Amino acid sequence: MVTGLILDAAGFEVLVAGKPAAPRRPLGPDDVDLLQGVAAAYVDAVHAGADDAVFVALGRKLFAWIGGDRIPFRTPLVFEVRAPASPSPAQWAVL
């Protein structure tokens, strides 16, 4: 069973143990900007040899974006992201 994000043309859905855990959401320009910003910050942190706190903050930002504080995830957790075979530019931002 999948726990993670399922991307499609309509946006994305968060699943926990194969069941929807939150309403389906569109994937819009604001989401893409946020995700690209997190990706750029991650690259900068890696190149700068940043400490763990920087990476934890980035992870928390992503967790908040998916609505993780409202979703009943259990640990340990294998989190998958599934997308179409030919992802759109917005879907690539998620990936």
Side-chain angles (χ1 to χ4, degrees):
M1 285 191 234
V2 175
T3 294
L5 298 179
I6 306 298
L7 299 163
D8 60 25
F12 70 95
E13 184 170 34
V14 180
L15 301 178
V16 174
K19 296 180 183 173
R24 177 176 291 281
R25 290 177 23 204
L27 189 58
D30 290 341
D31 298 302
V32 172
D33 289 345
L34 180 136
L35 295 167
Q36 289 175 337
V38 168
Y42 176 81
V43 170
D44 291 345
V46 169
H47 288 281
D51 64 17
D52 291 348
V54 173
F55 297 102
V56 169
L58 291 171
R60 286 185 175 146
K61 192 169 195 171
L62 289 173
F63 192 69
W65 174 76
I66 65 167
D69 56 337
R70 299 177 304 274
I71 298 171
F73 292 115
R74 291 190 176 173
T75 58
L77 176 68
V78 175
F79 192 86
E80 298 181 35
V81 178
R82 294 187 181 180
S86 297
S88 70
Q91 291 166 338
W92 269 119
V94 175
L95 295 170

